[in-house]
């Protein structure tokens, strides 16, 4: 049975309330941190844990915290990125819905470590229930003396606010989020400067994902060394995986990093295999922003080693034969799924969500959507396939924020691994329409 650091109490009735959460050991890390630890000692503990950002980039959290500038006379801010909108990713929503106090507990300890007196949880605008849940939980924590002035008599003051998001995927990019938090349109900023130097209102700011901040709680309770014992190599600790697609048991799972992908997909403890007895065709392992892999490459690397659910193993082979753990949004496609149709669907999403600031992303995502649409609807040409590769290459690495890369990688990898399926759409347009839509006429 896998250990649970974040989801241990998720099924306890009433765990979303302060009293039940507290009875189950909640807010111990706040007591320990504020009464017995210095802010620097907390940062060291997080460094020791090896915790890496759970929003997608996997940047070492302790290192990010230690980059935070401390100029005289300037406030510092902690912002929790709860703008979860990555297709196939729903772990943060799960956590906020069922165990909101875990996030609030992590926010208090992390804010104390960073010297922030005001912190924000920026929640995706569409998640109104979660916004209300968090606001209620914050009020409960404040009532019990864990927020506000002089928390637990320590002399530390913290105000925590929930900010509803601007309703766009791009607002989850950290600098766009900061713009949006400041009341502006959520356009990404050019980095550097990184938020650690100049973030909210030009003040030093740390932006961390919900799961990253929640993980600080067990790290402080049990120590960074204990946390670092879990996992494999530089992928320490546990990770929430949002599993969806053609699986017998889709859902949110907490895994020890390093579990073999095959075990995660097929064992009864996790996804229980592919639905309806079908064969696995492909997997997107880290949300839609990462390369898609065919079944053979997701289960084993090119060196015939078992592929593991870890930052290193999933990217083994680079983008020729590997992918990324990303945000941990795993989507499984069975043998009946059309790769062209799904690639078009992803492309449509990125075109819609592009903020339009940089030409390669603004124009390129539109081109890719258009070309994929005509391939999908039976009007494609053979040359369209290389045209797509060319457009994807011209976007990659040439944009302000990672959305451009995120749009290019699924298209380029789908063609790399499933070119025959794209060609089949060109040579057999009627059959493709019949298969995907039950229409011989188009
Ligand atoms: C100070 C330096 N700070 C890097 C910080 C930087 C940021 C973090 C990582 O995320 C991922 C992408 C997709 N001084 C620093 C520094 N930092 N160098 O470290 O930075 P970076 O640039 O590697 O990535 P990022 O822009 O933060 C991009 C994923 O996010 N993604 C979407 C995710 C969506 C969800 C969701 O909906 N829940 O997670 C799309 O791009 O995988 O790898 O904080 O400031 N020298
Ligand atoms: Fe906007 Fe796309 Fe440029 Fe990001 S890459 S700043 S989303 S146009």
């Amino acid at each position: 049975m896998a250990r649970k650091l974040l989801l241990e109490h998720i099924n306890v009735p009433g765990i979303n309330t302060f009293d039940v959460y507290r009875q189950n050991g909640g807010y111990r890390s706040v007591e320990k941190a504020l009464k017995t630890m210095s802010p620097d000692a907390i940062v060291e503990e997080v460094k020791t844990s090896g915790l890496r950002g759970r929003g997608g980039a996997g940047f070492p959290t302790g290192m990010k915290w230690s980059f935070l500038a401390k100029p005289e006379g300037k406030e510092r801010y902690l912002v929790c990125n709860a703008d979860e909108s990555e297709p196939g990713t729903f772990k943060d929503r799960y956590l906020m819905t069922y165990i909101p106090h875990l996030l609030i507990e992590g926010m208090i300890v992390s804010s104390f470590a960073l010297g922030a007196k005001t912190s924000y949880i920026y929640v995706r605008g569409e998640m109104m229930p979660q916004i209300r849940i968090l606001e209620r939980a914050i009020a409960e924590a404040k009532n019990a003396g864990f927020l506000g002035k002089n928390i637990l008599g320590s002399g530390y003051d913290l105000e925590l606010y929930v900010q509803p998001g601007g309703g766009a995927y791009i607002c989850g990019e950290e600098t766009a989020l900061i713009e949006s938090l400041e009341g502006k349109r959520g356009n990404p900023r050019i980095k550097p400067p990184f938020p650690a130097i100049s973030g909210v209102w030009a003040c030093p700011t740390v932006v961390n994902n919900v799961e990253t901040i929640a993980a600080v709680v067990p790290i402080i309770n049990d120590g960074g060394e204990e946390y670092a014992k879990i996992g494999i190599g530089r992928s320490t600790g546990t990770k929430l995986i949002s599993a969806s697609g053609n699986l017998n048991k889709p859902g949110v799972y907490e895994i020890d990093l390093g579990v073999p992908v095959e075990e995660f997909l097929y064992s009864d403890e996790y996804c229980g295999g592919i639905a309806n007895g079908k064969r696995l065709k492909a997997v997107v392992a880290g949300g839609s922003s990462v390369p898609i892999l065919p079944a053979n490459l997701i289960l084993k690397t090119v060196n015939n080693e078992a592929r593991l659910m870890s930052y290193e193993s999933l990217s083994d082979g680079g983008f020729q034969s590997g992918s990324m753990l990303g945000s941990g949004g795993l989507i499984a496609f069975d043998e009946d799924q059309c790769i062209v149709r799904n690639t078009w669907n992803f492309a449509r999403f990125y075109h819609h969500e592009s903020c339009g600031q940089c030409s390669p992303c603004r124009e390129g995502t539109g081109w890719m959507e258009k070309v994929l649409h005509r391939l999908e609807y039976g009007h494609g040409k053979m040359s369209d396939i290389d045209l797509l590769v060319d457009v994807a290459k011209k976007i990659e690495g040439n944009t302000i924020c990672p959305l451009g890369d995120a749009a290019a990688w699924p298209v380029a990898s789908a063609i790399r691994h499933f070119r025959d399926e794209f060609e089949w759409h060109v040579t057999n347009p009627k059959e493709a329409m019949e298969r995907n839509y039950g229409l011989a006429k188009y």
Side-chain angles (χ1 to χ4, degrees):
M1 191 70 182
R3 99 195 73 217
K4 304 238 181 304
L5 296 184
L6 306 184
L7 303 185
E8 185 185 355
H9 300 298
I10 198 103
N11 292 321
V12 174
I15 197 70
N16 58 335
T17 63
F18 178 85
D19 289 343
V20 176
Y21 183 72
R22 189 86 174 110
Q23 283 153 21
N24 283 272
Y27 289 99
R28 270 190 301 132
S29 71
V30 176
E31 291 173 312
K32 182 173 175 183
L34 270 59
K35 290 183 178 169
T36 69
M37 295 174 80
S38 69
D40 286 349
I42 299 170
V43 175
E44 279 311 308
E45 211 61 56
V46 172
K47 273 190 185 165
T48 305
S49 74
L51 175 67
R52 293 167 66 177
R54 302 302 197 215
F59 193 83
T61 306
M63 193 189 293
K64 191 194 270 194
W65 287 13
S66 61
F67 285 161
L68 191 71
K70 296 179 179 159
E72 279 291 310
K74 272 204 170 178
E75 292 294 322
R76 275 167 259 156
Y77 294 99
L78 171 65
V79 180
C80 172
N81 186 346
D83 192 53
E84 182 171 56
S85 338
E86 176 82 357
T89 307
F90 40 88
K91 63 182 178 81
D92 296 337
R93 184 180 56 188
Y94 183 75
L95 214 139
M96 290 188 286
T97 307
Y98 296 108
I99 189 156
H101 284 284
L102 182 67
L103 174 59
I104 293 162
E105 181 174 355
M107 284 298 287
I108 300 166
V109 174
S110 306
S111 301
F112 175 67
L114 298 168
K117 294 191 193 107
T118 307
S119 294
Y120 300 94
I121 307 177
Y122 182 98
V123 187
R124 178 176 173 176
E126 289 88 344
M127 292 190 196
M128 279 317 290
Q130 287 70 26
I131 290 170
R132 291 204 189 93
I133 288 168
L134 286 170
E135 279 173 342
R136 195 179 57 204
I138 287 172
E140 284 181 312
K142 195 164 186 178
N143 219 15
F146 282 88
L147 281 168
K149 294 259 174 248
N150 193 20
I151 298 172
L152 305 180
S154 65
Y156 175 59
D157 305 337
L158 175 66
E159 291 300 334
L160 179 57
Y161 298 101
V162 176
Q163 172 63 41
Y169 171 71
I170 197 58
C171 289
E173 194 283 330
E174 60 175 1
T175 59
L177 186 156
I178 290 169
E179 288 281 300
S180 173
L181 191 62
E182 291 177 353
K184 292 175 268 176
R185 184 189 151 107
N187 279 356
R189 298 175 180 170
I190 292 174
K191 295 193 278 190
F194 289 95
I197 307 296
S198 178
V200 181
W201 296 294
C203 292
T205 302
V206 163
V207 183
N208 280 144
N209 172 262
V210 171
E211 185 188 347
T212 313
I213 289 172
V216 172
V217 173
I219 289 169
I220 295 309
N221 280 336
D222 306 331
E225 246 178 67
E226 281 305 303
Y227 189 85
K229 285 182 191 161
I230 307 166
I232 185 158
R234 290 183 53 241
S235 297
T236 61
T238 66
K239 173 89 189 84
L240 298 181
I241 304 292
S242 324
S244 66
N246 305 119
L247 294 165
N248 279 322
K249 295 197 298 167
V252 176
Y253 294 97
E254 183 170 7
I255 61 160
D256 283 8
L257 281 164
V259 167
V261 176
E262 189 160 9
E263 180 182 336
F264 182 70
L265 285 173
Y266 290 99
S267 78
D268 281 340
E269 189 174 352
Y270 301 113
C271 304
I274 309 307
N276 305 314
K278 303 261 182 197
R279 276 182 302 139
L280 178 69
K281 179 175 190 175
V283 166
V284 172
S288 65
S289 301
V290 306
I292 188 169
L293 287 181
N296 60 327
L297 282 177
I298 188 71
L299 300 179
K300 294 242 160 71
T301 67
V302 278
N303 300 323
N304 211 25
E305 283 165 6
R307 184 86 73 182
L308 310 178
M309 300 285 286
S310 76
Y311 292 100
E312 290 73 27
S313 183
L314 276 165
S315 54
D316 187 34
F319 282 179
Q320 283 311 308
S321 58
S323 183
M324 286 166 76
L325 177 66
S327 57
L330 182 146
I331 310 170
F333 299 93
D334 74 19
E335 56 191 302
D336 293 341
Q337 292 299 325
C338 173
I339 296 296
V340 177
R341 185 179 181 185
N342 279 291
T343 308
W344 167 56
N345 198 30
F346 285 156
R348 219 159 39 129
F349 172 78
Y350 288 110
H351 180 212
H352 183 258
E353 299 297 337
S354 168
C355 83
Q357 277 192 106
C358 8
S359 313
C361 173
R362 182 187 62 241
E363 302 302 324
T365 52
W367 273 62
M368 290 197 302
E369 189 204 334
K370 252 189 224 161
V371 175
L372 280 160
H373 180 270
R374 69 177 180 237
L375 279 165
E376 167 65 2
Y377 282 92
H379 304 291
K381 300 180 286 229
M382 270 308 171
S383 58
D384 281 345
I385 302 171
D386 284 332
L387 178 62
L388 279 171
V389 175
D390 191 45
V391 174
K393 264 195 202 143
K394 290 198 165 104
I395 300 174
E396 190 184 350
N398 292 320
T399 58
I400 292 174
C401 90
L403 188 138
D405 292 347
W409 293 336
V411 175
S413 57
I415 296 174
R416 185 180 313 123
H417 298 300
F418 296 95
R419 183 178 270 269
D420 54 342
E421 223 174 291
F422 286 83
E423 290 173 353
W424 186 77
H425 269 253
V426 176
T427 52
N428 300 277
K430 283 190 183 171
E431 288 83 345
M433 285 298 284
E434 178 63 32
R435 186 186 74 176
N436 286 352
Y437 303 99
L439 296 167
K441 234 167 74 186
Y442 60 97

